[in-house]
Amino acid sequence: MISAVSGVNNQQTVSTKKQKSKEIKGDLAGAAIGLATPAYVLYDSFKKMTPEYAKDVASMFKAIMPEADTFENTKRVSAKILEETGLKAKGVKINFIDGTKESLDHLKTIISTEAKQTTAFGRRMGSNYFETFKAGANAAFFPKANEIVVNSKNLYTTVYHEMGHAMNKNGNWFTKGLQKARAITPFGVSIFAPVFLAVGLFHKVDKTKPQEQKGAIEKTLDFVSDNAGKLTLASYIPMLAEEGLASVRGLKQAAKHLPKSTVGKLAKNYTVAWSTYAGVAAMIAGGVALGIKVANHIKEGKQAKQA
């Protein structure tokens, strides 16, 4: 009798160890899938930007987002819009990078205003920003400097979109708040993505327990675990909304001075740019959802075999 009981206990111990092992494997697999895209996006943002690579990126943008107008007309119209919208009165400036020493020195000043470069990481990011704008691989509105930076050779017609960002920053409480809320998606990665992923992986939803017996915390964790992917996607709403609003406001002003055909080309380019933000958001949110699903599949598969 004692021997029989001992044998059963040994089997249970082995079964428990196997179960624990599979749970660990499931969590590791889920974490790897869920964090793969965020890790790559951050790596791509933080890796050293060489002048050669910056030029390649600029060439890519030139191919997928061809300029909709001449630089001279773009500069003229944007100057008018700056005055008409009151942005000039609020101190907003447009800096067209033309490769001259004066222009590049001013660019360095703007970058140093936006990003502290007292650490190795800060200096790396400052250097990356400088190379991308110098090559025409990026355009942006810098809130702290209250200045728009675009290259005079490439992506210069994105100036209307960047003016939209300036309007948001210098607008009412809603647009200002929307722009500040983008802080939850630095470098295009939601700070909530790993949190939701962790809850989905490590919190087990007890489906046999009645809802009335669950406390507020358990119900919240259940909800997050069941909707981690959707919640991750929702965390991108401020960024996607602010980007879209910037384009709409910029196009609305450009339409007052440019023919419909030109505005249509601008809208197409801005949609392409917006879709890159939406694509990253969808991939990261999808990765979180898939990671949790794979982890649960491994765990449930193990439980089915035990049954």
Side-chain angles (χ1 to χ4, degrees):
M1 182 69 177
I2 295 176
S3 177
V5 172
S6 176
V8 171
N9 288 338
N10 287 336
Q11 288 180 348
Q12 290 178 340
T13 300
V14 172
S15 178
T16 300
K17 288 183 177 180
K18 288 183 177 180
Q19 177 179 341
K20 190 65 177 177
S21 176
K22 286 205 169 185
E23 287 181 350
I24 292 174
K25 290 179 180 178
D27 289 335
L28 289 175
I33 294 171
L35 296 175
T37 302
Y40 177 78
V41 172
L42 291 175
Y43 164 75
D44 191 57
S45 298
F46 298 157
K47 71 180 180 182
K48 184 175 177 57
M49 176 69 71
T50 63
E52 293 74 20
Y53 182 65
K55 290 178 181 178
D56 289 340
V57 175
S59 296
M60 177 194 71
F61 278 125
K62 192 170 186 176
I64 64 176
M65 295 173 61
E67 301 301 344
D69 201 356
T70 65
F71 171 70
E72 290 73 18
N73 196 49
T74 300
K75 187 175 182 179
R76 179 185 64 81
V77 172
S78 60
K80 280 189 176 181
I81 294 175
L82 203 66
E83 290 190 10
E84 293 172 353
T85 56
L87 289 176
K88 186 176 181 179
K90 293 180 179 180
V92 178
K93 299 178 181 178
I94 302 176
N95 181 26
F96 289 101
I97 305 299
D98 57 12
T100 62
K101 184 179 184 304
E102 181 182 3
S103 176
L104 295 177
D105 285 345
H106 186 60
L107 173 60
K108 291 179 180 179
T109 300
I110 295 173
I111 293 173
S112 64
T113 301
E114 292 293 321
K116 294 181 179 180
Q117 298 180 50
T118 55
T119 64
F121 174 75
R123 289 189 290 273
R124 165 68 66 83
M125 295 310 299
S127 175
N128 284 356
Y129 287 145
F130 179 77
E131 293 299 339
T132 55
F133 286 104
K134 178 183 177 182
N138 201 355
F141 167 67
F142 289 95
K144 292 180 181 178
N146 211 23
E147 190 157 346
I148 296 166
V149 177
V150 291
N151 192 281
S152 62
K153 302 297 182 183
N154 197 45
L155 295 180
Y156 56 80
T157 49
T158 60
V159 67
Y160 305 115
H161 168 82
E162 301 306 335
M163 292 177 83
H165 283 305
M167 292 177 210
N168 290 343
K169 188 261 184 181
N170 293 278
N172 57 34
W173 64 269
F174 175 75
T175 59
K176 289 179 179 178
L178 193 62
Q179 195 168 82
K180 290 180 178 180
R182 294 187 56 163
I184 64 175
T185 50
F187 303 103
V189 175
S190 170
I191 60 176
F192 292 109
V195 177
F196 295 148
L197 176 64
V199 173
L201 292 176
F202 303 119
H203 174 70
K204 184 177 180 180
V205 179
D206 188 350
K207 297 181 180 179
T208 63
K209 188 176 181 180
Q211 286 295 310
E212 57 269 18
Q213 294 181 13
K214 294 183 177 182
I217 294 178
E218 185 176 3
K219 287 181 179 179
T220 299
L221 291 175
D222 285 353
F223 179 78
V224 173
S225 183
D226 289 337
N227 300 278
K230 295 177 183 177
L231 290 172
T232 299
L233 187 61
S235 68
Y236 281 90
I237 290 177
M239 181 186 77
L240 295 175
E242 202 273 330
E243 284 291 338
L245 182 60
S247 290
V248 170
R249 300 185 79 172
L251 288 170
K252 183 178 180 180
Q253 295 301 320
K256 297 177 181 180
H257 302 276
L258 301 173
K260 288 185 178 180
S261 58
T262 301
V263 176
K265 292 177 182 178
L266 289 172
K268 182 179 179 180
N269 285 347
Y270 294 173
T271 301
V272 170
W274 186 88
S275 68
T276 62
Y277 289 100
V280 170
M283 286 191 291
I284 291 179
V288 168
L290 180 61
I292 294 172
K293 185 175 182 179
V294 168
N296 288 338
H297 177 73
I298 293 174
K299 296 172 185 178
E300 290 171 2
K302 163 268 304 175
Q303 291 172 352
K305 288 183 180 180
Q306 286 182 344

